[in-house]
Each structure stands twice: as C-alpha cells, then as structure tokens.
Amino acid sequence: MKRIDIVVPCYNEEECICLLFERVEKVFSNIEGYKFRIVYVDDGSVDETLTKIKRLAEDIGEDTIKYISLSRNFGKEAAMFAGLQNADGDAVVLMDADLQHPPELIPYMLKVLEEGYDCCGARRKDRKGEPVIRSFFSTCFYRVINGLSKVDLSQNGSDYRMISPKVVRAMISLNERERFTKGIFSWVGFSTKWLEYENVERVAGTTKWSMAALLGYAVNGIIAFATAPLRGVVYLGMFITFISFIYAIYVFYNAIFHPGARSGYATITLLLLFLGGVIILLLGVIGEYLARIYIEVKQRPIYIEKETNIYAKGTNDK
Ligand code: UDP
Ligand code: MG
C-alpha cells in the first residue's frame, strides 16, 4: 500500500488540528490503495496546539500522526522545511492547518501525479473575500518579482501542493536560511500542473500574517530570487552621473557667457537633498543583500527541534 505524507505547519492552530484530521480521513476513505500520514509541524505555538496533536497521535496512532515541535516560532517557511525533511511518503502534500486548502483536492492531485507530473499545485480561482488593499499589493508583488527574477510565479498559486519524492529531495537540497518556498518550487523546476479551487475562510483562529509580515515576506522573496535591484542601483548611478555632467556643462557655459549671474542656493540645497536621498536608498538596497549574505555565512540551522515522534515505532512500515 502506498502512502501520502501531508505536511501541516501549525502556529497557534489548536482548534484546527482535529478538524483537519477528520476532513483528511474522510477524503482518504474514498481513495483506494493509499493510506496517509499527517506530519504536523508545531511552529512554537503558545496555545494548546502541541497538546492537541499529541492527544490525536495517542488516539489515532503514532503511525498516522507524526509531529515535530520546534523550539520557538521560526515562521511558516522554516516549518514547511522541517516537515519536508521528515516526510518520506510516495507523495507529499503541503497544506495549511486552517482548512483554507481543501483536502478534497487530494484525489485530483493524486491523479495528476499518476499521469506523470512531479508537482500539482493548487491555485485560487480569485481573491474574493480578501481585503482590496492586500490584493492590490499582492498583484504589485507578483509583477515585480516576475519582472526582476528568472522565477515565474503564478499570482494566485498557493503553497498547497502535492509533490513527488524527487521534488521533495530537490527542495530540501536548497538549504538557504531565508526561505521563499514559492520561488523554490519554481526554481527547482519539474513538470507542474495547476488545479483551481474556490477561496474559503479559515475554519477557526485568525491569520498569522500582518501587513508588515507580508511586506517582509515580499522583500525576502525578491531578494532571494533577483539580483536585478543591484543592477538597478548601477544604472541609476550612471543616469545621475550623466545628468550632473550635462548640468556641469550648462554651469560652465553660464559662467563664461553670463558672468555675474548668480545661481540659486535653492538648486544646491535641492540637489544635495536629492542625491543624499538616492545614496541612502541605494545603500539600503545593498545593505539588504549584505544582510542576507551575513545570515547565510553564519550557517545557523533553519530550525531547532524540541520534540518529535518521527522516530517512534512504526515509522518505516510503508
Ligand atoms: N504558520 C506557521 N508559522 C507562522 C505563521 C503561520 O506555521 O509563523 C502556519 C499557520 O498555522 C497556517 C499556515 O502557516 O497553517 C498559513 O497561515 P495563515 O492561515 O495565518 O496565513 P493566510 O492563510 O492568512 O495567508
Ligand atoms: Mg490561512
């Protein structure tokens, strides 16, 4: 019998743990030849998430319910990495805990993998129910990252995917610290097919993403997959130098042919402010890349495990 591992990052999702299991179980009762295993990754939750997961593991069996609990909140990207490292099913699914990723898609995803695809992604039909401002910024983000980098991201594409073991291995071979899974999916390649689903509200709890967190996520994504901003810095520098050169010619011309005409302090002040602003901005861009290099060279682990039942009995009986 083949097995599908479902990796679920959880951060304060106490109400969702059991609901998710029930939905998944129902879906698998209609799939022949496959059993499932859920790998819950408790991303340093401060509510009863871990207790709920452990209780579920006791009730259902350590074979079906696996968990890894991280020593603190490392973020969804690190949690997904931890899950992928510990998933060894014949196919692996990445899914949110809040049931915004309908488990009912799994049989269709499975068909796609059986057709020979290595990855089946789920894409929201639209962004209905999402704040307008969030949709707007999200559209801008996808335009920018697709324009600046070689990766090609689908705007409504989610992290909800079913992938083959080959893709899992590829994804964990990229062990960068500031992870941006959407970009990594695109970077590793493999044949991908998209399925569409209707956007739904989360079943319980609240979103873990503030506007500031999303902005950080976007900047990380762009920096992880594009070096074009650095080239932009060079072009802008060249442009400003060129303009100053033209202006210098104009100043010399005036000095020679209109001696006595006084140039304004306003111009000088404006230019100083403008150039000062540009230089600070550009240093900032360089600094962002430098910060990433700093983080990478430290080679800290992507996550720290606190406890797990991954190695508990029954792990290897497929
Ligand atoms: N999540 C996580 N660590 C975090 C933040 C979120 O593991 O630091 C998980 C969260 O529990 C959920 C998934 O990532 O399973 C998506 O989070 P959420 O539903 O809050 O995001 P949204 O759907 O609003 O984009
Ligand atoms: Mg959600």
Side-chain angles (χ1 to χ4, degrees):
M1 194 147 174
K2 290 186 169 177
R3 194 188 79 216
I4 296 180
D5 285 6
I6 304 171
V7 170
V8 188
C10 309
Y11 178 50
N12 295 344
E13 303 280 9
E14 54 184 8
E15 291 147 286
C16 301
I17 303 299
C18 291
L19 291 173
L20 178 97
F21 169 74
E22 283 159 16
R23 282 273 289 278
V24 169
E25 191 184 37
K26 208 158 143 202
V27 168
F28 271 86
S29 64
N30 294 319
I31 304 180
E32 258 173 49
Y34 282 92
K35 58 181 181 177
F36 68 95
R37 164 178 292 174
I38 303 186
V39 181
Y40 289 103
V41 184
D42 165 36
D43 186 16
S45 302
V46 289
D47 64 357
E48 294 298 301
T49 301
L50 184 60
T51 324
K52 289 266 163 70
I53 298 173
K54 283 182 176 168
R55 201 172 302 148
L56 193 66
E58 260 169 40
D59 293 349
I60 307 299
E62 306 256 6
D63 230 12
T64 309
I65 307 294
K66 293 284 176 194
Y67 64 83
I68 308 150
S69 179
L70 309 187
S71 61
R72 64 168 168 86
N73 179 242
F74 280 87
K76 182 184 175 188
E77 298 288 325
M80 287 195 287
F81 180 75
L84 286 180
Q85 269 196 327
N86 289 290
D88 63 351
D90 297 284
V92 173
V93 174
L94 275 173
M95 187 191 278
D96 280 1
D98 56 9
L99 287 170
Q100 280 189 305
H101 295 160
E104 289 70 25
L105 271 186
I106 290 178
Y108 300 99
M109 292 177 145
L110 197 54
K111 270 203 200 100
V112 171
L113 256 71
E114 281 173 345
E115 273 170 35
Y117 285 90
D118 277 303
C119 175
C120 178
R123 189 151 63 183
R124 277 181 287 174
K125 276 207 187 87
D126 48 45
R127 297 186 150 254
K128 228 174 22 206
E130 192 183 67
V132 184
I133 186 99
R134 190 167 158 173
S135 299
F136 170 74
F137 281 120
S138 140
T139 311
C140 294
F141 166 67
Y142 282 99
R143 289 251 165 88
V144 171
I145 193 164
N146 286 335
L148 291 184
S149 70
K150 291 206 179 80
V151 294
D152 181 24
L153 305 185
S154 161
Q155 161 133 33
N156 291 333
S158 62
D159 287 336
Y160 183 23
R161 319 253 173 149
M162 181 181 283
I163 53 184
S164 69
K166 266 185 276 180
V167 182
V168 176
R169 274 196 298 277
M171 292 193 61
I172 55 184
S173 74
L174 268 73
N175 62 347
E176 50 208 68
R177 269 82 210 140
E178 297 281 323
R179 298 181 74 76
F180 178 64
T181 301
K182 283 194 171 92
I184 293 178
F185 270 125
S186 163
W187 192 92
V188 296
F190 295 102
S191 49
T192 302
K193 188 170 176 174
W194 291 95
L195 298 180
E196 307 233 308
Y197 70 96
E198 206 72 59
N199 197 19
V200 283
E201 301 271 314
R202 49 161 53 243
V203 281
T206 50
T207 177
K208 311 296 179 296
W209 294 90
S210 62
M211 239 12 208
L214 281 172
L215 181 68
Y217 177 75
V219 172
N220 259 344
I222 291 169
I223 290 180
F225 284 93
T227 46
L230 287 174
R231 187 143 335 127
V233 168
V234 176
Y235 290 154
L236 189 62
M238 275 158 54
F239 177 70
I240 292 174
T241 315
F242 178 69
I243 299 282
S244 348
F245 186 69
I246 304 275
Y247 186 64
I249 294 176
Y250 168 75
V251 171
F252 275 120
Y253 174 87
N254 263 354
I256 293 167
F257 294 100
H258 305 283
R262 291 172 57 199
S263 53
Y265 287 107
T267 323
I268 296 174
T269 317
L270 264 177
L271 274 177
L272 273 179
L273 279 178
F274 172 69
L275 283 180
V278 169
I279 291 170
I280 292 171
L281 177 88
L282 303 189
L283 279 178
V285 172
I286 299 171
E288 283 287 338
Y289 283 90
L290 199 66
R292 297 310 185 285
I293 298 173
Y294 178 58
I295 290 169
E296 289 299 328
V297 293
K298 279 195 285 191
Q299 287 285 311
R300 286 185 180 159
I302 296 170
Y303 65 92
I304 304 276
E305 190 179 292
K306 189 174 67 184
E307 56 177 302
T308 178
N309 72 345
I310 286 286
Y311 312 105
K313 61 177 168 34
T315 308
N316 294 320
D317 61 337
K318 277 210 172 168

